[in-house]
Amino acid sequence: MEAIFIYLLKANLLIDIFYLAYYFLVQKETFFNSNRWFLLSGLFTSVLIPLFFIKKIVIIEAPKLIATNLPSIKNTNINTVIDKSIDWYNILLVIYILISIILILKITSELVSFFSLIKNKKITVNKPFAMVDIDENINPFSFFKYIVFNSTKYSNSELENILNHEKVHSKEKHSLDVLIAKVFCTLFWFNPFVWLYKKAIIQNLEYIADQKAIKNIEDKKAYQMTLLKVVTDHNCLSITNSFYQSLIKKRIVMLNKNQSKQKNVWKYALVIPALIAFVIFFQVKVIAQEKITHHKDRSSGTKQVSEMTWTKDTPDDEIKTDVQSMKKIGVEVNYSDLKRNSQGEITAIKIAFKDKSGKTGSLLYSGDTPIKPIVLRKEIDANDNTKVSLGELAELDNLNQELSIPEPPTPPTPPTPPITKMVNMPKPPTPPTFPTPPNVKAPNDPNDKKAWRKFEEKMEKFEQAWNTEEIKEYENNMKAYEKEMEAYEPDMTAFEKEMEKFESKMEKFEEEMEAYQERIHKSHKD
């Protein structure tokens, strides 16, 4: 159970890394399509990396046993002791699952609401789109191939702008991105960054639709006025790509922003050092493995002792190698019913042996706890009498055996990775209350000069309403905030250089580890 919580913590840490990389590095760039795939790949990378580990195996020599008359243990059952205390992991897991189910049911309810809305409505198929013109007072939106709108609320030119926008959403399957983001919110609901992540995905999809829709529209200003008109209508389903988004002014700013320089794509690569550091610190398993040894005991009563030792961490390929090695010295070993827990530790195994003289023995483990070290030992005394014993290392210790355990050399210390100085960042200014657009519709008759004059006067008043001191102060504060945020870019450059130094130290550390393992082998041979 603990493994599940460790996995969730690791996955959420990676999600946080990807979101912060997006927020500080590429959010302001106009690489909207690249940002889309960066954000999506970040989610899937976050759930996959914690599932894979890099194993570093440290070989140590099995203990040398000097003893006679070792017992053969048959059919030993290891009973599991049940802890009757409160299992808080189980309680937390139940709470986590219940909240996730509630959020999944909410998504299901939204899907049902959508299909109920378009049920019995006239659908005009214009491949690859399905146009649904409804009477309900709801904001225009798209959901996969369906584009839903109320044509009576907008003029022909406004409706054309809206449909161009929604067709981009539908054609590029943006609804799938929204669903993926919402599913991740149901799985990692306890992480505040995952909700910001979903918001960033939806906002970037709007940038993509605006950028591509404006290419098919001659009057850029009319498109922006359409954005302002629909901002007053908040009726929409959260699973859909709605034409309305709360950060409407930011969308307008992005529409008028110059394209980012292509050389700025290098910023995406800055997330790689953070991923490398994550793998080094959390996804490397160091396994101490005991190796089968063949040696001659110099004591007066023993001529030769050969043995193998299996621990809870012994890998399958090592077990097979040991079986072949024992077969070469006349002991046939068979094993079955091998089971491992989520950490890869052996919890159950059945072992049986048979030597050349026909003597047999067996050992059985069954339970949920990892096994204790197992020793299979062949002893040939001075009179060429052979004895094979199978048992736990702890039980053999209780027979007053003399153990000779070599002292391994001190392993090298791994380097410490650099830490970013992204602290005490400035807070963005609080936005003012933006003016409400006039409830006015453009005249249908282009020759009605009086109506057009009245319409233009109201729109002019609305544009003047944006020139208040409060809004100007907000824009100045935003410029100051952006300059303060630019001050953190040198920190990222310095961090990248520190990561390069760290990688060099890690290469040196790996070389020291190889030398360390060679010293262990050498000490065992001696």
Side-chain angles (χ1 to χ4, degrees):
M1 203 66 64
E2 183 180 358
I4 296 175
F5 287 98
I6 292 175
Y7 169 80
L8 290 174
L9 289 174
K10 289 181 178 180
N12 278 278
L13 177 58
L14 286 170
I15 288 174
D16 298 349
I17 290 173
F18 272 97
Y19 175 77
L20 292 173
Y22 168 78
Y23 184 84
F24 289 112
L25 300 177
V26 295
Q27 184 185 32
K28 295 180 181 179
E29 305 294 340
T30 59
F31 307 129
F32 302 135
N33 272 318
S34 298
N35 286 350
R36 178 190 183 187
W37 301 118
F38 177 81
L39 289 168
L40 287 178
S41 62
L43 291 177
F44 289 106
T45 301
S46 299
V47 296
L48 290 177
I49 285 183
L51 297 176
F52 299 96
F53 290 89
I54 299 174
K55 291 185 179 180
K56 291 187 72 71
I57 299 176
V58 179
I59 306 296
I60 61 173
E61 193 80 16
K64 299 179 181 180
L65 305 179
I66 306 174
T68 58
N69 300 323
L70 294 176
S72 177
I73 305 171
K74 297 185 179 182
N75 298 328
T76 303
N77 290 300
I78 307 300
N79 296 323
T80 304
V81 179
I82 301 175
D83 186 1
K84 295 183 179 180
S85 60
I86 297 175
D87 191 339
W88 290 106
Y89 283 114
N90 278 334
I91 294 174
L92 291 175
L93 183 61
V94 170
I95 295 173
Y96 163 75
I97 292 174
L98 285 176
I99 296 178
S100 295
I101 290 174
I102 292 171
L103 293 174
I104 290 172
L105 290 176
K106 185 175 182 293
I107 296 176
T108 305
S109 173
E110 291 168 355
L111 288 170
V112 172
S113 298
F114 166 74
F115 287 107
S116 297
L117 177 67
I118 66 172
K119 187 178 180 181
N120 299 325
K121 296 294 191 300
K122 183 180 178 180
I123 300 177
T124 304
V125 177
N126 184 11
K127 290 186 178 180
F129 311 109
M131 304 293 187
V132 186
D133 193 351
I134 61 174
D135 297 326
E136 285 82 351
N137 182 24
I138 195 167
N139 213 47
F141 67 85
S142 63
F143 185 67
F144 289 98
K145 69 176 182 178
Y146 296 99
I147 298 178
V148 183
F149 56 92
N150 185 344
S151 61
T152 62
K153 294 176 60 179
Y154 308 102
S155 66
N156 292 336
S157 60
E158 291 171 342
L159 190 58
E160 182 182 359
N161 292 338
I162 291 171
L163 292 181
N164 281 332
H165 178 95
E166 296 303 331
K167 283 178 179 179
V168 176
H169 282 313
S170 180
K171 187 176 181 179
E172 298 194 0
K173 304 294 187 295
H174 289 177
S175 296
L176 184 60
D177 297 38
V178 177
L179 283 176
I180 290 172
K182 291 186 74 66
V183 168
F184 271 81
C185 286
T186 64
L187 296 177
F188 306 112
W189 51 264
F190 50 88
N191 182 4
F193 278 98
V194 79
W195 298 96
L196 295 174
Y197 207 112
K198 183 191 75 170
K199 183 180 179 182
I201 287 176
I202 295 174
Q203 180 177 291
N204 186 67
L205 293 177
E206 293 302 319
Y207 294 159
I208 293 173
D210 287 337
Q211 185 186 56
K212 295 187 177 181
I214 204 73
K215 294 179 181 178
N216 301 321
I217 297 172
E218 295 181 0
D219 192 345
K220 192 174 181 180
K221 183 177 180 181
Y223 182 82
Q224 296 179 44
M225 295 303 294
T226 304
L227 290 181
L228 293 173
K229 180 175 180 179
V230 297
V231 76
T232 57
D233 192 351
H234 297 179
N235 297 320
C236 60
L237 299 174
S238 63
I239 61 166
T240 62
N241 297 112
S242 173
F243 191 76
Y244 164 77
Q245 290 294 328
S246 60
L247 298 176
I248 195 71
K249 189 174 181 182
K250 186 170 285 188
R251 287 172 59 187
I252 294 176
V253 170
M254 283 296 184
L255 276 173
N256 294 281
K257 188 174 183 179
N258 294 328
Q259 293 295 311
S260 299
K261 296 180 180 179
Q262 200 63 31
K263 65 180 183 180
N264 289 344
V265 296
W266 64 269
K267 293 183 179 181
Y268 291 107
L270 291 181
V271 75
I272 296 176
L275 295 180
I276 293 173
F278 179 89
V279 171
I280 291 172
F281 280 93
F282 300 109
Q283 299 305 111
V284 177
K285 272 189 175 181
V286 179
I287 300 176
Q289 181 178 309
E290 294 179 347
K291 186 76 174 177
I292 185 171
T293 59
H294 302 275
H295 62 274
K296 289 186 178 181
D297 198 309
R298 298 179 182 177
S299 62
S300 59
T302 302
K303 181 179 180 181
Q304 182 178 352
V305 174
S306 301
E307 62 193 29
M308 72 176 192
T309 302
W310 293 349
T311 68
K312 59 183 175 64
D313 296 315
T314 303
D316 293 345
D317 56 349
E318 187 67 28
I319 291 176
K320 293 178 181 178
T321 302
D322 290 348
V323 169
Q324 294 296 323
S325 299
M326 295 302 293
K327 188 175 182 179
K328 291 178 181 179
I329 61 174
V331 181
E332 185 176 346
V333 181
N334 295 307
Y335 69 94
S336 60
D337 301 333
L338 188 150
K339 295 181 181 178
R340 297 180 184 269
N341 58 20
S342 58
Q343 283 78 37
E345 299 170 331
I346 299 174
T347 57
I349 190 172
K350 181 180 179 181
I351 308 172
F353 74 84
K354 182 179 180 181
D355 65 7
K356 289 183 178 180
S357 63
K359 294 181 180 179
T360 62
S362 64
L363 184 64
L364 173 65
Y365 280 86
S366 62
D368 296 326
T369 57
I371 64 169
K372 296 177 181 178
I374 304 169
V375 176
L376 177 62
R377 184 169 182 268
K378 179 181 178 181
E379 176 186 347
I380 303 175
D381 63 18
N383 298 320
D384 289 333
N385 295 319
T386 302
K387 185 176 182 61
V388 180
S389 301
L390 174 65
E392 289 183 6
L393 181 61
E395 292 185 5
L396 300 179
D397 288 342
N398 292 333
L399 298 176
N400 297 323
Q401 302 169 47
E402 297 179 10
L403 301 180
S404 176
I405 304 176
E407 288 290 335
T410 303
T413 303
T416 303
I419 301 175
T420 59
K421 300 178 181 179
M422 295 294 187
V423 295
N424 299 324
M425 291 180 294
K427 294 183 179 179
T430 304
T433 303
F434 294 108
T436 303
N439 186 14
V440 60
K441 186 175 182 180
N444 294 326
D445 185 2
N447 298 319
D448 190 349
K449 295 181 178 180
K450 183 177 180 180
W452 274 101
R453 192 181 307 110
K454 184 177 181 181
F455 171 75
E456 290 174 353
E457 287 176 356
K458 291 186 177 181
M459 291 306 298
E460 186 178 353
K461 288 181 180 179
F462 173 65
E463 289 180 0
Q464 291 175 355
W466 281 87
N467 296 322
T468 63
E469 292 298 326
E470 185 182 8
I471 292 178
K472 289 180 179 179
E473 182 182 359
Y474 171 70
E475 291 176 345
N476 292 332
N477 291 339
M478 279 299 297
K479 290 179 182 178
Y481 170 69
E482 290 175 357
K483 288 183 179 179
E484 290 177 353
M485 289 302 297
E486 288 175 359
Y488 284 89
E489 291 185 2
D491 285 344
M492 287 304 300
T493 303
F495 174 71
E496 184 182 6
K497 292 181 180 179
E498 291 177 5
M499 280 302 301
E500 291 178 357
K501 294 179 182 178
F502 171 69
E503 289 175 1
S504 299
K505 292 180 181 179
M506 279 302 302
E507 291 178 359
K508 184 178 179 181
F509 170 68
E510 290 177 355
E511 292 176 359
E512 292 175 350
M513 281 297 297
E514 291 178 1
Y516 167 65
Q517 293 178 7
E518 289 179 1
R519 289 200 301 273
I520 291 178
H521 285 297
K522 185 177 179 181
S523 65
H524 291 162
K525 291 178 181 179
D526 296 340

